[in-house]
Amino acid sequence: MLKKIEFETILPIWRDHLWPGRKSQIEPVSAINSEGLINVTIQGYKPHFFGIYENHELIGVNSCHRTSLKEMRSRGLWVHPQHRHRGVGSRLLLQVFAQAKEDKASRIWTMARQSSAEFYLRLGFSAYKETSQYEFGPHVFCEHLVT
Ligand SMILES: CC(C)(COP(=O)(O)OP(=O)(O)OC[C@H]1O[C@@H](n2cnc3c(N)ncnc32)[C@H](O)[C@@H]1OP(=O)(O)O)[C@@H](O)C(=O)NCCC(=O)NCCS
């Protein structure tokens, strides 16, 4: 079952599983814009956190927040290794499309790790930029229009 969750619920998953040993503090909203630059005004936007539960266990999470009036970032997607390749990640990404429509954003973007970029490309995203500027290796910026 997909539910809206709180930052306090997603934080331990992000800290222990998605970003173990991360040096920078994990904030509810990231200040990175869709070009990979820091813009602290982004932190004024409201974040949304999503989780998928199976038998009361949280098996996948994602979040989104605007980075400008028309742009929505999908951030922090993670699926428990034992539950991968069953469509859980896709469902969590589709939830961001629903939220983007509700918030009238016209473009979704994400900063994908190189190891997961293919996942986004298979779901119709296009890669538009690469960076090695942030922790956890090279990242690929991927985008998708909201129709
Ligand atoms: C990337 C991730 C979220 C995918 O979750 P998932 O629930 O397995 O995704 P889905 O089952 O919806 O996958 C849909 C399709 O995407 C593709 N896909 C999924 N993970 C992939 C990967 N790592 N590499 C390439 N293609 C992938 C497959 O085509 C898959 O269909 P298939 O299972 O029939 O082959 C998951 O592997 C994960 O949590 N990885 C570690 C954290 C991470 O990298 N998160 C993204 C941060 S940017």
Short mmCIF file of all heavy atoms in Angstrom, two decimals, residues 7-9 12 34 54 63 72-73 78 82 84 92 124 137 141:
data_model
loop_
_atom_site.label_atom_id
_atom_site.label_comp_id
_atom_site.label_asym_id
_atom_site.label_seq_id
_atom_site.Cartn_x
_atom_site.Cartn_y
_atom_site.Cartn_z
N PHE A 7 8.84 13.02 7.15
CA PHE A 7 10.30 13.06 7.01
C PHE A 7 10.97 12.14 8.05
O PHE A 7 11.92 11.43 7.74
CB PHE A 7 10.79 14.51 7.18
CG PHE A 7 12.29 14.64 7.10
CD1 PHE A 7 12.98 14.25 5.96
CD2 PHE A 7 13.01 15.15 8.17
CE1 PHE A 7 14.37 14.36 5.88
CE2 PHE A 7 14.39 15.26 8.11
CZ PHE A 7 15.07 14.87 6.96
N GLU A 8 10.43 12.12 9.27
CA GLU A 8 11.02 11.29 10.34
C GLU A 8 10.96 9.80 10.00
O GLU A 8 11.74 9.01 10.52
CB GLU A 8 10.27 11.52 11.67
CG GLU A 8 10.46 12.88 12.31
CD GLU A 8 9.87 14.05 11.51
OE1 GLU A 8 8.85 13.84 10.81
OE2 GLU A 8 10.44 15.15 11.58
N THR A 9 10.03 9.43 9.15
CA THR A 9 9.90 8.01 8.76
C THR A 9 10.87 7.66 7.64
O THR A 9 11.46 6.57 7.62
CB THR A 9 8.44 7.72 8.30
OG1 THR A 9 7.56 8.17 9.31
CG2 THR A 9 8.21 6.25 8.02
N PRO A 12 15.49 7.51 8.51
CA PRO A 12 16.35 6.36 8.82
C PRO A 12 16.64 5.48 7.59
O PRO A 12 17.73 4.92 7.48
CB PRO A 12 15.55 5.56 9.85
CG PRO A 12 14.36 6.36 10.22
CD PRO A 12 14.25 7.53 9.30
N SER A 34 18.04 22.10 -10.87
CA SER A 34 18.06 21.11 -11.95
C SER A 34 19.32 21.21 -12.82
O SER A 34 19.52 20.38 -13.70
CB SER A 34 16.81 21.24 -12.82
OG SER A 34 16.73 22.54 -13.35
N GLU A 54 4.37 -3.27 2.85
CA GLU A 54 3.88 -4.62 2.58
C GLU A 54 3.96 -5.37 3.89
O GLU A 54 5.04 -5.41 4.50
CB GLU A 54 4.77 -5.27 1.51
CG GLU A 54 4.00 -6.23 0.64
CD GLU A 54 4.82 -6.69 -0.55
OE1 GLU A 54 5.60 -7.65 -0.38
OE2 GLU A 54 4.70 -6.10 -1.62
N SER A 63 10.63 10.73 -2.49
CA SER A 63 10.11 12.05 -2.11
C SER A 63 10.13 12.94 -3.34
O SER A 63 10.73 12.60 -4.37
CB SER A 63 10.96 12.68 -1.00
OG SER A 63 12.10 13.31 -1.54
N MET A 72 9.65 19.91 -10.72
CA MET A 72 9.52 19.03 -9.55
C MET A 72 10.69 18.06 -9.56
O MET A 72 10.95 17.42 -10.58
CB MET A 72 8.19 18.27 -9.67
CG MET A 72 7.90 17.34 -8.54
SD MET A 72 7.48 18.25 -7.04
CE MET A 72 5.71 18.45 -7.23
N ARG A 73 11.37 17.96 -8.42
CA ARG A 73 12.47 16.99 -8.33
C ARG A 73 11.99 15.71 -7.64
O ARG A 73 11.31 15.78 -6.60
CB ARG A 73 13.62 17.58 -7.51
CG ARG A 73 14.74 16.57 -7.32
CD ARG A 73 15.91 17.11 -6.55
NE ARG A 73 16.89 16.04 -6.33
CZ ARG A 73 18.01 16.16 -5.63
NH1 ARG A 73 18.30 17.31 -5.07
NH2 ARG A 73 18.83 15.14 -5.47
N TRP A 78 14.30 4.68 -3.16
CA TRP A 78 15.01 3.47 -2.69
C TRP A 78 14.00 2.34 -2.49
O TRP A 78 12.91 2.55 -1.94
CB TRP A 78 15.71 3.75 -1.34
CG TRP A 78 16.38 2.53 -0.75
CD1 TRP A 78 17.64 2.08 -1.01
CD2 TRP A 78 15.81 1.60 0.19
NE1 TRP A 78 17.90 0.94 -0.29
CE2 TRP A 78 16.78 0.62 0.46
CE3 TRP A 78 14.57 1.51 0.83
CZ2 TRP A 78 16.57 -0.44 1.33
CZ3 TRP A 78 14.35 0.44 1.71
CH2 TRP A 78 15.36 -0.51 1.95
N GLN A 82 15.30 -6.96 -1.44
CA GLN A 82 14.51 -8.19 -1.62
C GLN A 82 13.21 -7.94 -2.39
O GLN A 82 12.50 -8.88 -2.74
CB GLN A 82 14.16 -8.80 -0.27
CG GLN A 82 15.34 -9.51 0.35
CD GLN A 82 15.03 -10.00 1.74
OE1 GLN A 82 13.91 -9.88 2.24
NE2 GLN A 82 16.05 -10.54 2.40
N ARG A 84 13.04 -5.67 -5.13
CA ARG A 84 13.30 -4.99 -6.41
C ARG A 84 12.78 -5.80 -7.59
O ARG A 84 12.52 -6.99 -7.47
CB ARG A 84 14.81 -4.72 -6.56
CG ARG A 84 15.23 -3.64 -5.56
CD ARG A 84 16.69 -3.25 -5.67
NE ARG A 84 16.98 -2.34 -4.54
CZ ARG A 84 18.17 -1.99 -4.12
NH1 ARG A 84 19.24 -2.46 -4.73
NH2 ARG A 84 18.30 -1.17 -3.10
N LEU A 92 6.50 4.25 -7.13
CA LEU A 92 6.92 5.41 -6.34
C LEU A 92 7.28 6.60 -7.24
O LEU A 92 7.11 7.75 -6.85
CB LEU A 92 8.11 5.03 -5.44
CG LEU A 92 7.72 4.17 -4.24
CD1 LEU A 92 8.93 3.42 -3.68
CD2 LEU A 92 7.09 5.04 -3.14
N GLY A 124 11.13 6.34 -19.54
CA GLY A 124 10.84 7.45 -20.45
C GLY A 124 11.57 8.75 -20.16
O GLY A 124 11.35 9.75 -20.84
N GLY A 137 29.41 9.11 -5.95
CA GLY A 137 29.82 8.83 -7.32
C GLY A 137 29.16 9.71 -8.36
O GLY A 137 28.43 10.63 -8.03
N PHE A 141 21.77 13.60 -14.60
CA PHE A 141 20.50 14.34 -14.48
C PHE A 141 19.55 13.83 -15.55
O PHE A 141 19.91 13.77 -16.72
CB PHE A 141 20.73 15.84 -14.70
CG PHE A 141 21.41 16.52 -13.54
CD1 PHE A 141 22.78 16.46 -13.39
CD2 PHE A 141 20.67 17.22 -12.60
CE1 PHE A 141 23.41 17.08 -12.33
CE2 PHE A 141 21.29 17.84 -11.53
CZ PHE A 141 22.66 17.77 -11.39
#
